[in-house]
Amino acid sequence: MTRPRALTAHPHRSGTVLTGAIALTLAAGWAAHHGIAAANYGDHTGSRLAAVWSVTFLILITQTVMYHFERPRRPSPRARRQLGALHVAVLMPVYNEDPGYLRFGLESMLAQTRPPDSVHVVDDGSTHGDYHLLRAWWLRAAADAGIATTWQRTTNQGKRHAQGHAVRASPEADVYVTVDSDSCLDERALEEILLPLARRQVQSVAGIVLATNHRTNLLTRITDLWFVTGQLTDRSALSVLGSVLVNSGPLAAYRAAVVRDNLDGYLSETFMGRPVMFSDDSLLTLYALLRGRAVQQPSAVVFTALPEKTSHFLRMYLRWMRGSTIRSLWRMRYLPVTGWPYWAQLIRWFQVALSTAVLAWLLVVEPAVYGHTPPASFLIVPFLIGWAQALRYLSIIRSDERIRQRIVTWLLMPLAVVGSWTVLRFMRWYGMATCARTGWGTRQNGAEVALGTAADSETTVEISVAKLLDPETETTLRLPIPRPREAWSPLPEGTVR
């Protein structure tokens, strides 16, 4: 049986100018139209709405210009040699992960153009899944590839503590790369994510996260569209200023001192007297911002599994919003007022409050109190803006998907806009109100997304990969997991090969 191709992706810049022109044209038309439409509400209300549209337009136009200035970092040959000499340690916490996704991610470590110097897997007391065969395979495969590795099993204390065990197992590291247990790296991901660190001011680097299972159903398509667009617009704009507020857990790089010097605080964060179990990546990003710049490298790509059920997605998003609330308070408290990250956070709060207030006023107060029904364009324009920004989604070229399939997903942007303005907006405010609930809330009963169904045989454990399609034949790929032919016994926990 032939091995499936590794997933790869890269940004494509040929449409950048066109994307910017379309986005700016739509934004200008939107601002002009609403400036006129707002006047129909009367002198006082109309002038207030016109002011709101003007401010919102300026924020949007500024963000659009900024994210089109983002470029992958390309250091000199001398800087590349210096980066090549760094010890790069990958931290991979595991809890109730599907063995198929875990295997897929570990295999991607072996295929890197710039291999990691060490990989540290920490099983955080999983209660579902048997990793003995997988562990034995990985220890042997890493040794054959010349990658130092550890595989520890600890009592369940949460993702941060699992990462802490991995940090302590790699005191020689110069750079820590954090990944999730379902992260599958593009073959150039580690090489690319290190490049911005050639600049001494850069303390952390975020990668671009794509979905492995994006074509499973409507929810995964829309989530992938919404998530990727956000990374390539909002986070790309912040990256130009060195002010990325949140690195994504599936792939991020940190200078080792950022993690080591703050490890005690990282493991013991509390909010209202309760230990915080989530928002680990945003706390590490905050530590990085306190030391220098946090940027994004759009050419460093990782694939991860998105929720396939609505209940799973809502639990994940609610956890994000609770963590975002706590982290926002810490940013306003600890970031210097003279830095861009402080003002980026303040503007984000302003945007959320302003958009919510305007939406409630136009759709509830004006019709109920004053009898003013908003024109249809109020509903159409957000879709046009969403489509303009989502053109950035089409700039990512994937090895497992043709451009026409991505265009189909791009056309679904109105559904993402509706969901963002309704369900997700309510979830945001609910998450803010309940941010004191600091537990994790997922995977307690095992992995909620699986790559396939494992079935033992004498020589292999085969996993049907229903969500990964060959880009040319579009046939289902299968991922075999070899089982050692020789007799073996489980190795002691924490064995290093």
Side-chain angles (χ1 to χ4, degrees), residues 23-178:
L24 293 176
T25 300
L26 290 174
W30 171 63
H33 172 80
H34 281 292
I36 297 172
N40 295 331
Y41 284 101
D43 294 336
H44 298 294
T45 302
S47 60
R48 287 196 298 269
L49 288 177
V52 168
W53 301 137
S54 299
V55 171
T56 306
F57 166 71
L58 288 175
I59 293 175
L60 177 63
I61 205 78
T62 302
Q63 183 190 62
T64 302
V65 172
M66 287 170 60
Y67 66 64
H68 279 93
F69 275 108
E70 184 188 45
R71 296 289 185 273
R73 272 61 175 184
R74 291 288 177 258
S76 66
R78 179 172 179 269
R80 285 177 179 268
R81 289 193 296 271
Q82 293 174 339
L83 292 173
L86 299 177
H87 183 109
V88 177
V90 176
L91 313 180
M92 178 183 281
V94 177
Y95 180 68
N96 286 349
E97 184 56 80
D98 170 63
Y101 271 115
L102 181 55
R103 163 81 186 223
F104 202 43
L106 289 171
E107 283 191 326
S108 72
M109 302 289 177
L110 303 175
Q112 292 299 298
T113 55
R114 197 288 188 192
D117 296 280
S118 61
V119 176
H120 304 277
V121 183
V122 180
D123 180 357
D124 185 38
S126 296
T127 57
H128 293 72
D130 183 358
Y131 304 128
H132 285 92
L133 288 175
L134 186 56
R135 179 173 176 271
W137 162 80
W138 168 247
L139 292 174
R140 186 173 61 253
D144 292 342
I147 299 174
T149 190
T150 61
W151 187 305
Q152 307 176 59
R153 178 176 170 84
T154 66
T155 57
N156 179 246
Q157 294 180 286
K159 180 179 178 181
R160 296 191 194 192
H161 287 273
Q163 290 176 323
H165 283 286
V167 169
R168 296 186 187 100
S170 52
E172 70 284 2
D174 298 302
V175 176
Y176 286 118
V177 174
T178 60

Side-chain angles (χ1 to χ4, degrees), residues 289-339:
L289 287 170
L290 290 172
R291 290 173 176 246
R293 295 170 62 87
V295 302
Q296 177 176 261
Q297 178 75 337
S299 54
V301 178
V302 63
F303 299 84
T304 192
L306 292 177
E308 298 176 0
K309 297 180 180 179
T310 303
S311 59
H312 181 198
F313 172 80
L314 293 179
R315 288 198 304 275
M316 178 190 74
Y317 189 76
L318 183 59
R319 185 176 72 241
W320 287 358
M321 292 302 99
R322 287 169 174 165
S324 174
T325 302
I326 297 172
R327 199 62 60 238
S328 297
L329 295 173
W330 286 175
R331 293 187 193 111
M332 300 305 294
R333 178 177 178 179
Y334 294 111
L335 288 174
V337 180
T338 54

